[in-house]
Amino acid sequence: VLSLFRVYSRVPGKGTARISTVLHRRYWLYAMATLQTALESLVEMGFQRNRAEKALASTGNQGLQRAMDWLLAHQSDPDIDEPYDPSGHRLGSDPTSSLEAEGTTAAQAKSLKCDDCGKLLRSELEAQAHAARTKHTNFSESTEEIRSLTVEEKAAQLARLQDQMKQRRQDRDQDEKKVAIEREKVRRKTGKELTEMKQQMELAKAKKIAEEKKREKLEERLARQRVREQIARDRAERALQGKGTAVLQTQSQSSKPSVTKEYTSCRLQIRLFGGKTLVHTFMASDSLDKVFQHITAIESGPSVPFALMTSFPRRVFTDEEAGRSLEELGLLPSAVLIQTKP
């Protein structure tokens, strides 16, 4: 309505009555559309049409809820079903018809004209589209009628519109491709930067690990060197202490007289044929023959010739050695003899 007012306000020679008539009719059409919607809703709910019209008129056409409240409050009124006839016209009639009859006698406008470029337009929507496309702002009514297009002109115009739509579609596709290419470039650049950053981080981490290992090896080598030096010092100190002790021991041993221990007895362990072991202590001066006699006296059964020997070093005593003493035979202070066959 306001855009229509701006158009009519620029028309030369048109008075206020013409503008008011148009505005009143526009507002009336909007109100009637709303009123008819509310009236139809009430009828669909089950209210009688006469009651619904009376409720809407009584509430000043303020909406469906107000009308329903009025119907519930006045449903028991005695005159609720009387025909609705408010002051000579029925609900839905056009109140602006008298205004149009009283309007000016100017010629009827058949089109709109752009004062900036002179183009004729059929409707207000075309005028708004033309204004949005060309940024033109001056429009007026015109009595010139726009000639209808022929079949050939309509076909040409349709082809032109299709070409324009095709061109716009191609332009849009190209723009989308450009945007996709730029987006892919940004993605690749970002991915490359992230990869380089990751490689730098990994390189720095590897360098740090290598430095730590190098420092640990150096510390370990220094620790081993300190241990070796400490061991060398300890050895040197022990060598000095040992040398002094050896000198003292040598001096003490040289100062002591040598003492030779003398044994007066001999302890012999004799392994017999049957696996029996005989242990006896003899005098150092006893002969080996006395040992033979002791074995013969201990054994039971018939006498069997035998000999005696040592295992380590291996030595078999002969009959010629039977008269020698145990001391002379080197069996002091103890020895192991084995009974064997001669």
Side-chain angles (χ1 to χ4, degrees):
V1 175
L2 294 178
S3 61
L4 186 63
F5 174 75
R6 287 196 296 270
V7 171
Y8 277 89
S9 64
R10 299 190 186 95
V11 179
K14 300 296 187 292
T16 306
R18 175 66 174 173
I19 298 173
S20 299
T21 300
V22 175
L23 292 176
H24 278 82
R25 182 169 181 80
R26 288 282 180 159
Y27 282 122
W28 176 83
L29 290 174
Y30 174 76
M32 286 302 101
T34 305
L35 185 60
Q36 289 296 331
T37 301
L39 180 61
E40 292 174 0
S41 299
L42 290 173
V43 172
E44 290 177 358
M45 291 179 184
F47 295 105
Q48 297 180 7
R49 187 177 186 86
N50 182 57
R51 290 188 179 187
E53 291 179 350
K54 186 178 292 186
L56 290 171
S58 299
T59 56
N61 300 326
Q62 295 183 4
L64 181 62
Q65 186 63 40
R66 292 289 185 89
M68 290 178 62
D69 295 340
W70 188 92
L71 285 171
L72 295 175
H74 297 82
Q75 61 181 352
S76 59
D77 291 353
D79 59 345
I80 187 65
D81 292 325
E82 293 182 0
Y84 174 70
D85 188 16
S87 64
H89 70 276
R90 186 172 177 80
L91 185 66
S93 60
D94 189 353
T96 61
S97 58
S98 59
L99 291 176
E100 290 182 349
E102 296 174 358
T104 61
T105 59
Q108 183 179 2
K110 297 181 180 180
S111 63
L112 296 175
K113 182 178 182 180
C114 177
D115 297 335
D116 294 332
C117 64
K119 184 176 181 179
L120 296 177
L121 305 167
R122 286 187 174 84
S123 63
E124 181 186 352
L125 293 177
E126 291 187 5
Q128 292 178 357
H130 180 75
R133 185 171 58 253
T134 61
K135 307 302 181 183
H136 296 169
T137 57
N138 299 318
F139 296 88
S140 62
E141 282 187 336
S142 175
T143 57
E144 298 181 21
E145 184 177 2
I146 300 177
R147 182 177 58 84
S148 299
L149 299 177
T150 61
V151 178
E152 292 78 7
E153 291 176 345
K154 289 181 180 180
Q157 186 175 6
L158 179 60
R160 185 171 62 256
L161 292 175
Q162 291 177 350
D163 293 340
Q164 292 178 357
M165 292 176 62
K166 183 178 180 181
Q167 185 64 33
R168 290 197 188 99
R169 192 180 300 111
Q170 292 177 356
D171 295 342
R172 184 175 64 252
D173 294 341
Q174 290 180 358
D175 293 340
E176 290 178 355
K177 288 182 180 179
K178 290 181 180 179
V179 172
I181 292 173
E182 293 297 329
R183 189 182 297 113
E184 180 66 17
K185 288 181 179 179
V186 173
R187 187 189 67 80
R188 292 183 179 181
K189 183 178 179 182
T190 305
K192 184 178 180 180
E193 292 176 353
L194 291 176
T195 303
E196 292 178 354
M197 187 181 300
K198 185 177 180 181
Q199 291 177 354
Q200 292 177 0
M201 293 176 62
E202 292 178 353
L203 183 61
K205 184 177 180 181
K207 188 181 295 184
K208 184 177 180 181
I209 293 174
E211 291 177 355
E212 291 179 355
K213 289 183 178 180
K214 185 177 180 180
R215 184 174 62 254
E216 290 176 358
K217 289 182 179 179
L218 179 60
E219 292 177 354
E220 185 178 357
R221 185 168 64 252
L222 294 175
R224 286 200 300 267
Q225 184 176 355
R226 289 193 295 268
V227 171
R228 287 196 296 267
E229 292 175 355
Q230 184 65 35
I231 291 174
R233 288 194 295 269
D234 294 342
R235 286 179 179 176
E237 292 177 359
R238 286 196 300 270
L240 292 175
Q241 292 177 359
K243 188 176 180 180
T245 304
V247 172
L248 293 176
Q249 289 179 355
T250 303
Q251 292 177 357
S252 62
Q253 289 178 0
S254 61
S255 60
K256 291 182 180 180
S258 59
V259 177
T260 303
K261 189 175 182 179
E262 296 180 357
Y263 297 96
T264 59
S265 62
C266 178
R267 184 175 180 277
L268 294 178
Q269 182 178 357
I270 306 169
R271 297 178 183 176
L272 303 179
F273 284 135
K276 184 179 179 181
T277 301
L278 177 64
V279 179
H280 188 74
T281 302
F282 297 90
M283 296 300 294
S285 58
D286 291 342
S287 63
L288 184 61
D289 186 50
K290 191 173 181 178
V291 176
F292 276 98
Q293 294 175 3
H294 181 74
I295 295 172
T296 302
I298 292 298
E299 287 184 340
S300 60
S303 177
V304 178
F306 64 91
L308 295 176
M309 60 174 288
T310 58
S311 59
F312 184 81
R314 182 180 177 82
R315 179 182 178 185
V316 179
F317 297 103
T318 63
D319 294 338
E320 289 80 7
E321 296 175 328
R324 299 178 62 180
S325 64
L326 299 178
E327 183 178 1
E328 293 174 351
L329 294 174
L331 298 177
L332 299 182
S334 62
V336 177
L337 297 178
I338 301 173
Q339 189 180 22
T340 183
K341 292 180 181 181

